[in-house]
Amino acid sequence: MYSPRQKLMWFAFNSRMIIILLQAVSNLIIPDHDAKVFVSPEDPTMYKSWLDNIVYKLFGGFKRWDAQYFIHIAQYGYTYENCLAFYPFYPLSVRYFAYGLNSAIGTFLNFHSCLLLSATIINICLFLKSADILHQLSLRILKSECRAYKSVILYSINPASIFFSAPYSETLFAWMSFYTMLKCTDSETLRFANIDILSGIPAGLSMITRSNGIVNLGFIFYTSFKNIIERTLPEIVYKYKTLKCRIILPLLLLPLFISFMALVLTIIIAIIPFLLVQTYNYFKYCVPSEHNLPEFLINADYVLPGTAESPWCNYSIPLSYSYIQSQYWDVGFLKYYKLKQIPNFILAAPILILLNYYCLVYFFNNFKLCLKLGLKFSSLGGYSTKTSCRSKQCAKGFGANDPVLYLYVVHVFLLSIFCIFFVHIQVTTRLLASASPVLYWICSSKLNAGPTPTSEQNTINEHFREITTGKKIPSHHLSIANLEGLDNMYSKWKTFIISRKMLDFQSRLIQYYFIGYFVAGTILFSNFYPWT
């Protein structure tokens, strides 16, 4: 019998294998759609062996849409200005891992094939790691093994799953984002500071993975502010009121100074990678120089390095991202609201409706708490544990009387509003699925699997009595076994989301949404058809 964590890791791994198989078959039997988008130029001198052809047949369905950019950057670097829209941490990781592969199997495969293999292997490993971190975070926030378990199962088949396996930065970003959130919930590492300074590392790396990584700094700011209000200030007030020797009064402010310095140090650690990337971009495109690109990469349709002609170079703060998004992808306020984009709005509708509805339910159920920014104010060093709920019925609503969820709900709500008004709407599903765990937490609370048959429950209980003889097995293993059933707990791929009948319409809707988008997205994406 597998433990819940082992079960989760095996299911996460097998979900990646299913996507690889599904995209390979789809790419083989369905003709590619002519999407008329960027396709990375091929080096005409690059030799292709029969093994290279096999690699492309197996994994070529992943090299679609923006994956073309990521592989291009990994292979050739930032050769065109529009490539700056894709942040460097993921393509550089793919490139350097491909160097290792190339040194080992370069005799049989060319470097491009090594890049495709590298991207696939990295995303599988990162997906397993992100699933593990999500499990830890969910346990800490939800305080329920069953809900944490359901959350990771749903994450493994999330509606944007194809983007977590293709050469996209979603998996790396999810890992960095979830890890930042987890580090912000850790116990204090400096007295009075109440924040793990090392949380700046995953936050900083997320900022050079995707543009919305900068929002992760909010978790650091809020955590520090919350700890000052709820812990540091009450302690200072209490000591001040009980102090007999007023001469040491200035020492009471030392905890505030330590908290401030810890916050500053954490932010510095986080923004250094971002500043380095922006400095590189500026010198690459805003300082006149020779580009030295090979002939096959020179394209008059794109701005090449060293031309120093781009308007963003003359901005007071020369950041390229917003200009490039507007110039090359026509991203801006309400710019995507066109009749021809209605199908893309329909694709993004489920996640937007689900998240916004339950975020508003949370705000309604915790109105007074939200007015206090999710803080529990105290007096004389005592902590207020009261939370306000608008009605007795709200206890059944999502996150009722739960201040711990406040920051996560506000975070995903603001991101979803931003998506509605500013971004290409089809990007919404993968952006929200990789940036926040709230989608999985909401669905895990609403997902009701059919009960395990009584006879099987008796078998499970008897089985646990036998295997726990002389062993210490956590009690929550039994709750997961009752959710899954005995057969599923011995299977590396079968889970309740696949094998069990959902009890109500809402649960079935969630099940069909996740599995339907998992399958349809993989098939459509791998043949250059539009997807989220």
Side-chain angles (χ1 to χ4, degrees):
M1 178 183 288
Y2 296 106
S3 68
R5 182 177 178 276
Q6 290 173 328
K7 180 76 177 167
L8 291 173
M9 292 301 99
W10 272 116
F11 185 69
F13 176 78
N14 287 324
S15 71
R16 301 308 94 189
M17 296 300 105
I18 292 172
I19 286 180
I20 291 174
L21 178 62
L22 190 57
Q23 66 81 28
V25 173
S26 301
N27 193 39
L28 182 65
I29 64 177
I30 301 175
D32 286 346
H33 169 63
D34 183 9
K36 294 181 173 60
V37 293
F38 173 82
V39 176
S40 177
E42 287 191 5
D43 185 349
T45 64
M46 184 175 60
Y47 172 74
K48 289 184 179 180
S49 68
W50 62 274
L51 284 174
D52 291 308
N53 291 328
I54 290 177
V55 168
Y56 190 79
K57 290 291 184 183
L58 289 175
F59 304 106
F62 283 146
K63 194 184 170 187
R64 301 290 185 256
W65 298 103
D66 289 350
Q68 289 280 343
Y69 283 101
F70 284 109
I71 294 296
H72 178 89
I73 295 167
Q75 186 166 6
Y76 305 118
Y78 286 91
T79 59
Y80 311 127
E81 184 185 52
N82 59 336
C83 292
L84 294 179
F86 303 92
Y87 283 25
F89 189 35
Y90 177 71
L92 287 181
S93 301
V94 171
R95 175 191 294 180
Y96 288 111
F97 187 71
Y99 284 156
L101 284 179
N102 193 53
S103 64
I105 58 176
T107 307
F108 311 102
L109 296 174
N110 61 38
F111 187 61
H112 187 271
S113 296
C114 289
L115 284 170
L116 202 52
L117 282 175
S118 171
T120 304
I121 294 169
I122 283 177
N123 273 351
I124 291 173
C125 295
L126 291 181
F127 190 83
L128 294 177
K129 190 62 181 176
S130 64
D132 190 30
I133 295 296
L134 176 61
H135 186 230
Q136 296 178 47
L137 177 65
S138 300
L139 282 174
R140 192 169 293 180
I141 299 300
L142 303 178
K143 296 178 174 58
S144 166
E145 174 66 46
C146 193
R147 282 188 61 190
Y149 180 88
K150 288 181 182 179
S151 297
V152 181
I153 291 293
L154 290 170
Y155 173 66
S156 298
I157 57 167
N158 74 73
S161 282
I162 181 60
F163 298 99
F164 288 73
S165 292
Y168 274 66
S169 58
E170 265 65 19
T171 304
L172 178 58
F173 184 73
W175 179 34
M176 291 294 106
S177 297
F178 297 159
Y179 196 42
T180 300
M181 298 171 193
L182 182 66
K183 295 297 285 184
C184 285
T185 65
D186 281 348
S187 301
E188 62 187 43
T189 56
L190 294 175
R191 180 161 172 75
F192 304 120
N194 304 322
I195 188 170
D196 190 337
I197 292 176
L198 296 181
S199 62
I201 296 177
L205 294 177
S206 73
M207 290 169 63
I208 60 171
T209 302
R210 286 186 62 87
S211 60
N212 55 305
I214 196 169
V215 181
N216 288 334
L217 289 179
F219 288 92
I220 295 173
F221 278 111
Y222 182 84
T223 300
S224 182
F225 177 68
K226 184 174 186 290
N227 286 325
I228 288 174
I229 296 297
E230 294 185 355
R231 302 182 63 176
T232 307
L233 286 180
E235 185 173 353
I236 292 174
V237 171
Y238 175 78
K239 288 183 177 180
Y240 173 77
K241 291 185 176 182
T242 57
L243 193 65
K244 295 181 179 179
C245 181
R246 302 290 178 178
I247 197 171
I248 62 171
L249 182 61
L251 295 177
L252 293 180
L253 299 179
L254 183 61
L256 278 178
F257 176 75
I258 294 175
S259 296
F260 176 75
M261 292 306 299
L263 175 62
V264 170
L265 184 58
T266 306
I267 297 302
I268 289 174
I269 292 172
I271 65 174
I272 284 176
F274 179 80
L275 294 177
L276 290 175
V277 168
Q278 300 309 315
T279 302
Y280 170 84
N281 293 347
Y282 182 83
F283 279 96
K284 183 84 172 176
Y285 281 90
C286 297
V287 176
S289 62
E290 293 292 331
H291 53 70
N292 295 322
L293 293 177
E295 188 68 27
F296 72 93
L297 287 176
I298 297 175
N299 190 326
D301 295 332
Y302 298 110
V303 176
L304 302 179
T307 55
E309 296 175 351
S310 295
W312 66 269
C313 295
N314 299 317
Y315 292 173
S316 54
I317 301 178
L319 301 179
S320 62
Y321 185 79
S322 59
Y323 166 79
I324 289 171
Q325 285 288 332
S326 176
Q327 178 71 15
Y328 294 97
W329 281 275
D330 196 31
V331 172
F333 182 65
L334 298 182
K335 286 187 176 181
Y336 214 61
Y337 280 69
K338 302 172 183 176
L339 288 176
K340 66 179 182 179
Q341 301 300 343
I342 288 177
N344 287 323
F345 278 87
I346 294 173
L347 276 178
I351 194 169
L352 285 172
I353 292 172
L354 192 152
L355 285 176
N356 284 304
Y357 173 76
Y358 283 106
C359 285
L360 292 175
V361 166
Y362 180 88
F363 296 144
F364 181 82
N365 288 343
N366 302 277
F367 183 71
K368 292 183 179 179
L369 174 69
C370 293
L371 291 179
K372 297 176 183 177
L373 302 180
L375 301 174
K376 296 182 293 183
F377 294 95
S378 60
S379 59
L380 203 64
Y383 296 98
S384 170
T385 58
K386 294 181 179 180
T387 54
S388 300
C389 196
R390 291 180 68 93
S391 67
K392 293 181 181 179
Q393 286 76 21
C394 80
K396 298 180 181 179
F398 168 69
N401 297 313
D402 193 351
V404 178
L405 287 174
Y406 171 79
L407 178 59
Y408 302 92
V409 172
V410 170
H411 169 247
V412 77
F413 181 70
L414 293 179
L415 282 179
S416 66
I417 295 300
F418 180 80
C419 289
I420 290 172
F421 291 108
F422 288 96
V423 307
H424 286 189
I425 198 68
Q426 69 268 29
V427 174
T428 299
T429 304
R430 59 185 172 95
L431 189 153
L432 297 176
S434 63
S436 173
V438 173
L439 170 67
Y440 314 112
W441 292 347
I442 291 173
C443 292
S444 70
S445 68
K446 303 301 175 183
L447 199 61
N448 296 314
T452 306
T454 304
S455 58
E456 189 171 353
Q457 284 187 350
N458 293 334
T459 304
I460 292 171
N461 294 333
E462 181 63 30
H463 184 76
F464 263 80
R465 279 194 292 270
E466 292 176 2
I467 66 174
T468 54
T469 304
K471 299 179 182 179
K472 186 177 181 181
I473 295 182
S475 58
H476 63 257
H477 285 205
L478 180 58
S479 65
I480 301 301
N482 283 325
L483 170 68
E484 287 285 9
L486 195 59
D487 288 343
N488 284 8
M489 292 305 292
Y490 278 98
S491 171
K492 292 179 179 178
W493 65 273
K494 285 177 65 178
T495 69
F496 72 94
I497 195 70
I498 297 172
S499 63
R500 301 288 293 282
K501 182 180 179 180
M502 299 297 118
L503 286 178
D504 51 63
F505 176 75
Q506 182 177 241
S507 298
R508 289 193 292 273
L509 207 59
I510 292 172
Q511 182 186 36
Y512 298 154
Y513 171 52
F514 275 73
I515 296 177
Y517 269 53
F518 178 94
V519 175
T522 302
I523 295 172
L524 292 173
F525 175 92
S526 60
N527 293 282
F528 255 129
Y529 287 95
W531 192 241
T532 58

